[in-house]
Amino acid sequence: MHQTAGQVLLVDADDTLWENEAYFRQVFEQFLDIMEARGHLRSDALDALQSVERERCVKHGYGSRNFARSMDETVRQMEGETPSKLMQEIDALVQWILDHPVEPFPGVAETLEDLASRHRMLLVTKGAHQEQNDKVERSGFARWFIGVEILFEKNAEHYREIVARNSLDSSITWMIGNSPKSDINMAMAAGLRTVFIPHRTIWGLERQPFTREPDLVLTQFSDLRLHF
Ligand SMILES: [Mg+2]
């Protein structure tokens, strides 16, 4: 069904508009290579890093620099300390993520331009403020959004706060994204409608069964034009 004009579209950025998780995966694998070369079992390093990330993200949020700190903490747990040469290697891996060009998915720019002609759109992402802002700026997509929200965490409370602050009507407000946890379940809990657009890579911490089926499930971002 095609929605009438005048909907409010809250749009996730990482792995919805552009590639992101793939870069972290690549660095994750490189880190495991390093740990293997230092005599550790790959599976031990993997388990340790995942458990460090689970703990640290709750307290410190997301983003590349935080990922560097998680790798540092993993080495310290496994070896007692992180040699400064290894710390430099970790920082270089993460700098590669920070410097990576923004790679939007096919048709994203045209779709945003088209949707912006009929609907109000807010970009809603989570992570480190400067890192996320920098990506938005480099993408050139900001002009199609009435605002950019960078959250420490995407939870129901923060979604409700966005709705209240922007005086949105939640019955015509949709959260669109690739994460079952952050974009779908939490938005549903805040009373929003949802569009799930899965990406081939999903971070383990974002995986979660749906509390209820999303209103729409699409295979690619450009399909939004068929519904909005
Ligand atoms: Mg995402």
Side-chain angles (χ1 to χ4, degrees):
M1 195 187 109
H2 205 275
Q3 300 297 321
T4 53
Q7 308 287 308
V8 179
L9 310 180
L10 310 181
V11 184
D12 170 52
D14 291 337
D15 294 313
T16 294
L17 298 180
W18 53 62
E19 202 74 67
N20 175 67
E21 175 61 19
Y23 314 144
F24 281 84
R25 282 199 180 198
Q26 191 170 324
V27 167
F28 203 108
E29 290 302 317
Q30 285 169 305
F31 176 74
L32 297 183
D33 291 343
I34 292 170
M35 293 306 275
E36 215 173 11
R38 296 175 73 81
H40 301 285
L41 280 177
R42 203 175 182 86
S43 56
D44 286 351
L46 172 76
D47 289 347
L49 179 53
Q50 282 177 335
S51 117
V52 167
E53 278 199 299
R54 249 193 310 277
E55 257 180 53
R56 291 195 79 261
C57 287
V58 179
K59 280 186 236 150
H60 305 283
Y62 305 87
S64 301
R65 299 211 189 278
N66 204 39
F67 184 40
R69 298 287 84 76
S70 291
M71 288 187 274
D72 174 23
E73 174 63 27
T74 302
V75 178
R76 280 194 280 127
Q77 282 187 10
M78 298 181 82
E79 299 187 7
E81 63 168 342
T82 309
S84 62
K85 193 167 166 290
L86 178 52
M87 198 58 238
Q88 283 166 16
E89 252 181 284
I90 289 172
D91 284 336
L93 290 176
V94 160
Q95 194 59 45
W96 174 80
I97 299 178
L98 289 165
D99 292 339
H100 204 293
V102 175
E103 296 179 296
F105 298 129
V108 162
E110 298 89 319
T111 306
L112 287 175
E113 183 171 21
D114 182 49
L115 294 173
S117 69
R118 292 186 297 282
H119 308 287
R120 280 191 297 157
M121 296 197 292
L122 272 165
L123 196 145
V124 182
T125 180
K126 71 174 178 186
H129 205 271
Q130 196 191 329
E131 181 175 3
Q132 295 305 89
N133 238 338
D134 186 52
K135 280 189 277 187
V136 173
E137 204 164 289
R138 286 188 285 146
S139 73
F141 293 165
R143 64 195 144 132
W144 293 310
F145 292 92
I146 57 169
V148 176
E149 301 274 351
I150 299 170
L151 308 173
F152 180 77
E153 182 61 279
K154 277 181 171 169
N155 55 29
E157 187 193 341
H158 287 147
Y159 280 120
R160 283 193 207 100
E161 199 269 321
I162 290 174
V163 167
R165 185 157 35 79
N166 294 281
S167 310
L168 306 178
D169 172 354
S170 51
S171 70
I172 54 159
T173 301
W174 303 69
M175 182 62 209
I176 298 163
N178 72 297
S179 164
K181 174 173 174 265
S182 295
D183 300 319
I184 306 300
N185 289 343
M186 292 301 175
M188 272 180 191
L192 304 180
R193 307 182 78 179
T194 53
V195 182
F196 179 51
I197 311 177
H199 186 44
R200 63 174 203 292
T201 53
I202 177 88
W203 186 27
L205 296 187
E206 294 295 337
R207 283 201 197 104
Q208 200 175 68
F210 291 129
T211 45
R212 185 172 90 237
E213 283 307 301
D215 292 288
L216 261 178
V217 178
L218 304 178
T219 53
Q220 54 188 352
F221 192 81
S222 54
D223 289 348
L224 283 167
R225 295 168 78 166
L226 307 172
H227 297 274
F228 289 92

